[in-house]
Each structure stands twice: as C-alpha cells, then as structure tokens.
Amino acid sequence: MRLLYFLLLIIPFVKISFAEPEQPSQASEDARLSWQYHVCPDDPQSIPAPIMDANMGHYARFLEEKGGDPLKIDDFDSKHSNRVVVDMILLQQALKLGGANVQLNFYGSPNPSRAELDVKQGVSPILGYETWNSNFDDTVYMSDCVIGKGEFLKVVVGRQDNGKGLMKAKSLADLQQLTAVTGHRWSIDIMTLREMGIKEVATAPKYSLQISMLQERRADFGLYEYTNIINDMPAGFAVVPGLTVGLNESRHFMVSKSHPAGRFLFEALQRGIKILKSHEVFKKAYRECGFTSSELESWHKIFP
C-alpha cells in the first residue's frame, strides 16, 4: 500500500506539497484496521458527517462552481461560499493531508445541537464544521482551534431609523443603554451580550423572529456574521458602521470517541490541521469567503 500523498494548495507566493504524513500511533492504527480505513488512493472509505440543512445547497453549488473536487480547491471567493462551506472543504483536505483516505458524506441536520449529538453518540464519527469549545464533553475529541477566542467577529445590525442613536454608536457604552435580541440556542452570543453589559437581552427561536422583533422595535440591535447579513439585509436595516464584537470562545472540529474510527480520524485531522495552519490556509480561506476581511479587522472591536 502506498503511504505517499501530495496535496497542492496555492496561496499567495506559497506552494504546499507534502510527501509521507507522520505515522499514526499504535492505538490509532488499531482503530484504522478495525474500521478498514485503507490508506489506498483507489479505495476511499465513505463516512457520514452532519452539517446544518441550510448549508447543503451552498456547498453543492460551491463545489460545482469550483470543479467538483474538494481536495483541489484553493480559491474560496464565491457568492456560494461562507464559513461553513470553508470548514467542509478544509476538513476534507486536513484529513487527507493527515493520512486518512476518506470521503465525507455530508448529511443535513435541523440544528447544531442535533448534529453534535450525532457525533457524541457515535452515529457519525466527525462533525462537518467547527464548533464552540464549550460544546465539547468527554464523549468527543477536540481538535486544535481553527478560530481563536475573540476572532469570531460579528457586526451590530438594526433599523436605520432607530430613534435611540444606534447608527451613531461608537463604543460599548453606547450599546449598553440599548436592548438586544439573539437566538435562544446561540449560547455564546447570549453569554457575550451579557458580558458586554447590555441592558436587556431577548431571545427568539428563529432568525426570522429576531428580525421581526427588530422591525417592531421590541429590540434595538442584533449581532450577525457580516457575510450572512450583508447578502440578505432586511429592508430598512443597516450595519452600524465601524463596530465589531468578538465572541469570547474558540472554535474546534469535533470527533467522536465512541465511533470505531474516531481515534484514527482525530489523529489524522490533527496532523492535517497543523499543516494547513502552518501555511495560513484557514486564514486565507476565511478571508476569501468574507468571514473575515481587512476592512472588518480595521473596525473598532468594542468587545472583548
């Protein structure tokens, strides 16, 4: 069997090419053999990986636009691209670089909690995207972080005609006198808003209901990912110019401990992440999809 892999990723003025990956531990090798993860380029093993339903279409259209092979994609600039699509592509590249010859079979899940439960219970060996470090417990492995604490930036969004000075806000103190709305499952957003000292934090079960609360002036602002909101800005709404908020946790890939292939996949993933991070591939991809940008990073981060 052949243990030599080449994956060429182009980033500005840098070429990444790799020969033989690091050797897995004996425990990982036992897991590999028990689940028949052959290191053979002609026989990739298919494994299930949950993602949110909403991203299935984005991923399919992005993959078609970029030629269909996730291992060859090095350009993430697309109207179909977002942070989760980047995660799905780079997860596959990291596993391949780390020595796991697998084909991820993504399937939709109604919400993040259900997707993570599938991994924790061993229904799937790996989550298809990164998640908050507080979502991990002793049933799963936590990868090295791919988004650091405070690096997940959100923008402040509300009605352009807000009568309480929202669009003129320049500091945290300006927002502390206002009310916010967020998703009732968005625990890190809720925690961050409370740590910011926001006067009142309301929650809603759906994004559409958050927008309704803002439209009806039952809340003044919400925190949203820039690429998501800018591409679907509700009528009469705007981003408060020049302000960002960093969510106060890090994000990691999740791998099941109870699934027979978990240990092997985790060790391969860790090796692959190190390779990608050493060439700033995550940073480049997140910039190209719009999750981060030099413009956003130049804005005033009012928290943390």
Side-chain angles (χ1 to χ4, degrees):
M1 293 189 293
R2 190 156 61 96
L3 291 174
L4 183 62
Y5 290 100
F6 293 95
L7 179 58
L8 184 62
L9 302 172
I10 307 296
I11 58 177
F13 309 107
V14 179
K15 290 185 177 181
I16 310 174
S17 60
F18 305 99
E20 187 172 319
E22 297 176 27
Q23 294 300 311
S25 69
Q26 184 58 49
S28 177
E29 181 70 4
D30 292 343
R32 179 183 72 84
L33 292 173
S34 68
W35 224 64
Q36 297 182 347
Y37 273 81
H38 305 294
V39 186
C40 174
D42 298 323
D43 187 25
Q45 300 295 306
S46 177
I47 60 172
I51 62 165
M52 279 80 73
D53 287 325
N55 286 291
M56 293 291 287
H58 293 302
Y59 176 73
R61 291 187 288 272
F62 176 80
L63 200 61
E64 181 180 8
E65 177 187 321
K66 299 298 181 179
D69 186 349
L71 300 181
K72 294 181 179 179
I73 293 174
D74 54 43
D75 171 21
F76 294 87
D77 183 8
S78 168
K79 66 180 180 179
H80 305 302
S81 186
N82 59 34
R83 173 179 52 83
V84 175
V85 169
V86 167
D87 291 340
M88 295 165 73
I89 297 295
L90 295 188
L91 176 59
Q92 293 172 88
Q93 293 184 0
L95 288 169
K96 182 71 170 182
L97 281 170
N101 187 46
V102 297
Q103 180 177 331
L104 295 188
N105 179 25
F106 295 109
Y107 66 91
S109 185
N111 55 63
S113 297
R114 177 57 186 269
E116 291 162 16
L117 184 62
D118 279 0
V119 177
K120 291 177 179 180
Q121 293 182 341
V123 175
S124 171
I126 194 165
L127 191 65
Y129 57 93
E130 32 69 29
T131 187
W132 298 112
N133 66 289
S134 59
N135 292 335
F136 288 76
D137 57 28
D138 59 7
T139 68
V140 290
Y141 297 108
M142 180 190 296
S143 78
D144 291 342
C145 82
V146 293
I147 300 176
K149 188 175 182 180
E151 293 178 359
F152 194 118
L153 298 181
K154 289 200 170 184
V155 292
V156 182
V157 176
R159 290 179 60 119
Q160 288 178 301
D161 63 355
N162 176 278
K164 301 178 184 178
L166 173 65
M167 290 299 150
K168 296 180 180 179
K170 300 296 182 185
S171 67
L172 177 59
D174 293 335
L175 293 184
Q176 286 174 334
Q177 305 308 309
L178 304 177
T179 60
V181 63
T182 189
H184 78 256
R185 292 180 182 271
W186 299 4
S187 58
I188 305 306
D189 295 63
I190 294 170
M191 177 188 74
T192 299
L193 286 164
R194 288 174 176 165
E195 289 178 349
M196 290 168 62
I198 301 304
K199 179 180 178 181
E200 181 181 338
V201 180
T203 64
K206 296 180 179 179
Y207 169 75
S208 60
L209 295 178
Q210 295 176 45
I211 298 304
S212 294
M213 290 184 66
L214 293 169
Q215 288 172 330
E216 296 165 7
R217 302 183 190 274
R218 290 188 286 155
D220 295 307
F221 72 90
L223 301 178
Y224 300 100
E225 286 187 54
Y226 183 72
T227 46
N228 292 349
I229 195 69
I230 206 68
N231 292 326
D232 190 27
M233 184 69 73
F237 282 52
V239 173
V240 177
L243 297 186
T244 62
V245 172
L247 299 188
N248 212 13
E249 278 204 13
S250 56
R251 292 179 70 91
H252 312 251
F253 287 112
M254 179 183 288
V255 183
S256 176
K257 288 184 178 180
S258 60
H259 194 283
R263 178 81 176 256
F264 168 68
L265 292 176
F266 174 68
E267 292 190 2
L269 177 62
Q270 287 288 79
R271 291 192 294 271
I273 287 174
K274 285 182 171 63
I275 293 170
L276 293 177
K277 288 182 73 173
S278 71
H279 294 278
E280 299 189 335
V281 174
F282 282 99
K283 182 177 180 179
K284 171 182 177 288
Y286 285 142
R287 278 181 176 273
E288 289 181 348
C289 80
F291 171 62
T292 61
S293 69
S294 55
E295 178 187 10
L296 281 183
E297 290 172 354
S298 70
W299 287 10
H300 177 39
K301 185 166 75 169
I302 59 175
F303 188 85

